[in-house]
Amino acid sequence: YISASSQNNPESGWEAKAVLFFKEQLKDKEAHTSVPSLNDVPLHYLKPNSLVRFRCLIQDMFDPEFYMGAYETVDPSTKARVLRCGKYKDVTECGVDLNSRNTVTAERQTFYCVPIPGENPWVKEISFSQARVVPSTSYVPSRQKRSYEEDDDMDTQPQKQREPHTGMSCLWRQDGNPHGNGDCKRQETEAPSSQTTSASHLDLNFPLPGEKGPSCLVKVYEDWDSFKLNDTLEVYGILSVSPALSALAEEKDASSSLLDPAECMETAEEQRVHSPPASLVPRLHMIYAKPLPHCNPLLPSAALEDNSASQFESDSSSMASVRTELLAYLTHVLLGDALAAEYLILHLISSVYARRDVLPLGKFTLNVSGCPTVASYTERLYQIIQQLVPCSYRLSMSLQNMNQLRLVPKKDYVANRLVSGALQLARNTSLFLDETQLEQGQLDTTGVRNITALGNLISWQKVDYDFNYHQMEFPCNINVLIASEGRSLLPSDCQVHLQPQVAPPQMEEYLSAIHMHPQASSQLNKFRLYLSLARTLDYSISDEVTKAVEDDFVDMRKDDPQSISAEDFHRLLVVARLLSLSLGQTSLSRDSWMRAKHIETLRRSRTEQQQQCVNGNEP
């Protein structure tokens, strides 16, 4: 514990000691489960100024702000002076001496963070079940059961009748007049009805429509240059929900300031966006942030830091058997098509592992063509994929969606914020493009821009954010699966045409049975762990195998120069890599290479036959 005298002495080094203490404590694999999560526990059950964690994506980065790192307060009765620290706080103590020579102005960065977009329900459920903190034992607001009428009546009473003077926070205006004493608002984190209602009117800027959960203003005090837009983090910090923050938001007075002299330069629109009510957008003062290499709670991140391949060496031997079970399950889902199920597994474990100039290596966008249009097949297929991957989003490519949805984030210079778009996603998110919803009609300017953005995402794994006068390129790592009737209008790395081997008389019942009665929970967890683990394995090719592969390519070209192009050979190498990883192998073997050649031959033959059928039916 850090003594009070040390906290009030900025030169004592207590800040570094506190951060080091928490970092060391949180290295324990079980320690983080003891810290309540903003993702799982309702905000009004969390104790203000306590340690919490938040699993999130950095959606926007605001301009740096200045705050009082150290300041002096003067007791009005005794004239005693106390040097206080303003770090990890939003609001000063009462009695600030604005003319003190001991005042230290410091700088911090603010990130606008949202829950990880598209995080699937099973991830939330498992994360919640792993936590050892439950809402009922965390914090119960003392006024939780009061009616709103009583709540309003109490607001008219002097503040001193409801709260002690000691430690009371005040909101300071730029002219030095405090909003304190009788004007201070409630200290509980429970939002009054008016604020709850206003949540629907406050744009929380979630990238995906229909998303729920808290967003946070995360205050960063050090190494903020190490964070990038769209990073996924688990932030540990001090929760701040001071009512003074809401008072400031309600005032809309450009001259008011909260430990930040620069805020007086903000417009009313900037003030609304950058200082929303704390009951809706709490502040989180970062002590420590852990990058999330993945979002699967079944696979601990610590294992990846210790080299996942060696950590799970015993499990890797069983990966082949889990793969066999998953292949059988997906074959059933894909109406008995085992070849399509093979390629779906390869797609689900693909990931961009490096970039060579502008070319992303490791991506494997799959186009499953020939999808039935009856019984909402593609929707059912997506629901099953949802059960397997941590984050996903289904984009129905209807004419209305293409012409109306905002896919690319855009800078709003009036509010000075980045307005989110549906393509602002976390790494390794599964994006399911449902092309079976296409219909005849005219794409407008927005529609053309959206189709172009999807094509760039697939080909280059990048999204060009719109900054009005220019575009800024942001690299990404998103798994794109395209479901279509014929060959997709969008580019893809691989197309496999679905050939159903079963024709159930009641397609709706068949698909409902798969979705409503999936594998047992333990079996699904095995599939989920398998897919995440396969994606993290390292991969290499020995010199001996490299030579054999090159000779094989020369032989194939010698027999028939038209049989395989450089593009086909590149795809074959990607398939061989993913096939090896799907079997838990971290290097390419001769058997895996031959198997990759075999399934590629089957796929290409099927695609050519389908193309001949299409051409034969054309007038």
Side-chain angles (χ1 to χ4, degrees):
Y1 292 93
I2 308 298
S3 66
S5 59
S6 296
Q7 291 183 36
N8 293 333
N9 182 5
E11 298 181 358
S12 66
W14 71 268
E15 301 163 18
K17 294 176 183 176
V19 172
L20 180 62
F21 170 80
F22 282 110
K23 284 183 179 180
E24 291 297 323
Q25 291 295 312
L26 292 170
K27 285 182 179 179
D28 184 351
K29 295 179 181 179
E30 301 299 325
H32 74 281
T33 61
S34 301
V35 181
S37 171
L38 275 169
N39 302 91
D40 305 326
V41 183
L43 181 60
H44 60 271
Y45 279 111
L46 293 172
K47 189 174 182 179
N49 303 317
S50 64
L51 180 68
V52 299
R53 58 190 169 99
F54 184 39
R55 194 171 61 254
C56 60
L57 172 137
I58 301 177
Q59 190 277 322
D60 197 2
M61 294 176 160
F62 295 159
D63 295 331
E65 65 182 23
F66 295 101
Y67 71 100
M68 289 184 180
Y71 59 94
E72 267 190 332
T73 58
V74 181
D75 188 291
S77 57
T78 65
K79 304 300 181 183
R81 290 180 170 269
V82 178
L83 185 63
R84 300 185 183 277
C85 178
K87 198 171 185 180
Y88 306 117
K89 296 177 182 179
D90 286 296
V91 183
T92 63
E93 303 293 331
C94 287
V96 176
D97 180 3
L98 298 177
N99 298 317
S100 171
R101 293 183 177 180
N102 293 321
T103 300
V104 177
T105 301
E107 188 180 23
R108 62 189 177 195
Q109 179 65 280
T110 302
F111 297 157
Y112 187 83
C113 297
V114 297
I116 297 174
E119 192 175 66
N120 285 320
W122 67 266
V123 176
K124 295 180 172 69
E125 292 169 6
I126 292 176
S127 298
F128 181 75
S129 66
Q130 290 177 345
R132 289 186 289 173
V133 177
V134 294
S136 60
T137 59
S138 175
Y139 172 66
V140 179
S142 59
R143 288 154 28 87
Q144 179 181 343
K145 296 183 180 180
R146 247 179 220 140
S147 68
Y148 293 130
E149 290 77 8
E150 292 173 330
D151 200 42
D152 293 337
D153 290 340
M154 286 297 291
D155 282 341
T156 63
Q157 301 299 318
Q159 182 73 17
K160 61 184 179 181
Q161 296 181 11
R162 294 186 283 136
E163 295 176 349
H165 282 288
T166 56
M168 186 173 66
S169 298
C170 291
L171 170 64
W172 281 88
R173 300 173 62 94
Q174 190 179 17
D175 58 11
N177 296 324
H179 274 242
N181 302 326
D183 292 332
C184 285
K185 301 293 183 182
R186 58 178 65 81
Q187 292 291 331
E188 291 84 4
T189 58
E190 181 181 20
S193 58
S194 60
Q195 290 178 338
T196 305
T197 304
S198 66
S200 59
H201 303 291
L202 180 67
D203 180 11
L204 296 179
N205 213 14
F206 292 145
L208 299 180
E211 291 278 279
K212 296 181 180 179
S215 56
C216 267
L217 288 175
V218 177
K219 308 288 184 176
V220 186
Y221 292 88
E222 57 185 18
D223 298 330
W224 52 72
D225 289 336
S226 63
F227 299 100
K228 300 190 299 296
L229 196 70
N230 302 328
D231 279 354
T232 50
L233 310 169
E234 186 154 51
V235 177
Y236 295 83
I238 305 301
L239 177 66
S240 174
V241 286
S242 171
L245 296 168
S246 299
L248 178 63
E250 291 168 0
E251 253 191 35
K252 298 183 182 295
D253 183 351
S255 66
S256 62
S257 174
L258 186 66
L259 296 182
D260 184 5
E263 279 190 359
C264 61
M265 303 299 292
E266 290 186 342
T267 64
E269 185 65 19
E270 284 183 274
Q271 183 78 1
R272 185 185 68 83
V273 169
H274 291 195
S275 302
S279 56
L280 299 177
V281 183
R283 279 56 165 171
L284 189 58
H285 295 264
M286 181 190 292
I287 293 178
Y288 169 65
K290 179 172 66 176
L292 294 178
H294 62 83
C295 303
N296 190 340
L298 297 170
L299 181 63
S301 299
L304 303 183
E305 296 170 4
D306 298 336
N307 189 339
S308 60
S310 59
Q311 183 78 12
F312 287 90
E313 187 173 358
S314 58
D315 291 342
S316 297
S317 61
S318 65
M319 285 183 69
S321 62
V322 177
R323 185 191 191 279
T324 302
E325 296 172 11
L326 178 59
L327 180 64
Y329 177 56
L330 292 180
T331 299
H332 189 50
V333 170
L334 294 170
L335 307 176
D337 191 340
L339 182 64
E342 284 267 10
Y343 277 91
L344 183 54
I345 290 178
L346 302 188
H347 162 76
L348 291 174
I349 66 171
S350 64
S351 179
V352 176
Y353 63 87
R355 291 180 185 267
R356 186 166 297 164
D357 295 327
V358 296
L359 184 66
L361 304 180
K363 73 183 183 73
F364 194 63
T365 297
L366 180 65
N367 173 209
V368 178
S369 58
C371 291
T373 57
V374 297
S376 304
Y377 176 77
T378 52
E379 186 175 348
R380 299 286 187 180
L381 175 60
Y382 170 71
Q383 290 170 347
I384 288 165
I385 291 176
Q386 254 189 318
Q387 294 288 324
L388 299 175
V389 299
C391 300
S392 62
Y393 176 58
R394 173 177 174 261
L395 175 58
S396 174
M397 292 182 62
S398 65
L399 187 65
Q400 181 180 5
N401 278 349
M402 289 296 97
N403 286 339
Q404 293 183 2
L405 283 180
R406 183 175 62 243
L407 298 188
V408 175
K410 181 177 182 178
K411 180 71 173 183
D412 179 355
Y413 286 97
V414 175
N416 193 20
R417 71 164 177 173
L418 182 67
V419 180
S420 63
L423 294 185
Q424 190 174 11
L425 301 171
R427 66 192 306 268
N428 293 136
T429 298
S430 290
L431 178 60
F432 187 98
L433 300 181
D434 192 348
E435 213 174 274
T436 64
Q437 304 299 309
L438 277 175
E439 59 219 339
Q440 290 185 346
Q442 183 69 38
L443 287 173
D444 60 16
T445 305
T446 301
V448 172
R449 190 182 300 120
N450 283 338
I451 292 294
T452 303
L454 289 174
N456 287 336
L457 167 65
I458 292 169
S459 299
W460 310 110
Q461 284 294 308
K462 65 166 188 172
V463 179
D464 295 323
Y465 288 17
D466 184 1
F467 282 77
N468 289 1
Y469 306 107
H470 70 283
Q471 292 185 329
M472 189 173 293
E473 185 179 297
F474 285 84
C476 56
N477 186 358
I478 297 173
N479 289 33
V480 183
L481 176 64
I482 310 170
S484 60
E485 291 183 71
R487 184 181 181 88
S488 173
L489 302 176
L490 294 167
S492 65
D493 297 306
C494 182
Q495 178 201 359
V496 58
H497 192 79
L498 192 64
Q499 285 189 351
Q501 303 300 309
V502 294
Q506 300 295 332
M507 178 72 80
E508 179 69 33
E509 293 181 7
Y510 178 84
L511 297 174
S512 296
I514 296 175
H515 178 62
M516 299 303 295
H517 304 286
Q519 304 287 323
S521 178
S522 59
Q523 186 75 356
L524 278 176
N525 284 344
K526 281 171 59 178
F527 294 161
R528 294 160 177 166
L529 183 58
Y530 161 82
L531 292 173
S532 293
L533 179 58
R535 180 178 280 148
T536 64
L537 295 176
D538 293 326
Y539 176 79
S540 61
I541 305 179
S542 66
D543 294 339
E544 180 183 353
V545 174
T546 299
K547 181 67 168 59
V549 167
E550 291 173 350
D551 292 343
D552 210 357
F553 176 63
V554 171
D555 291 341
M556 287 186 285
R557 294 278 295 176
K558 186 184 302 182
D559 296 337
D560 182 6
Q562 303 300 320
S563 64
I564 183 169
S565 64
E567 182 181 349
D568 294 331
F569 184 61
H570 173 75
R571 183 189 305 110
L572 185 55
L573 288 172
V574 173
V575 169
R577 173 182 178 273
L578 294 173
L579 185 61
S580 298
L581 294 176
S582 72
L583 294 167
Q585 301 170 0
T586 56
S587 61
L588 180 62
S589 65
R590 182 69 181 174
D591 290 343
S592 294
W593 173 248
M594 297 305 294
R595 184 172 177 179
K597 287 175 58 180
H598 176 66
I599 64 173
E600 264 294 275
T601 301
L602 293 177
R603 185 195 64 80
R604 291 178 63 189
S605 174
R606 179 186 292 189
T607 304
E608 290 170 1
Q609 291 175 6
Q610 177 61 25
Q611 191 60 42
Q612 290 174 1
C613 293
V614 171
N615 293 338
N617 292 332
E618 291 179 352

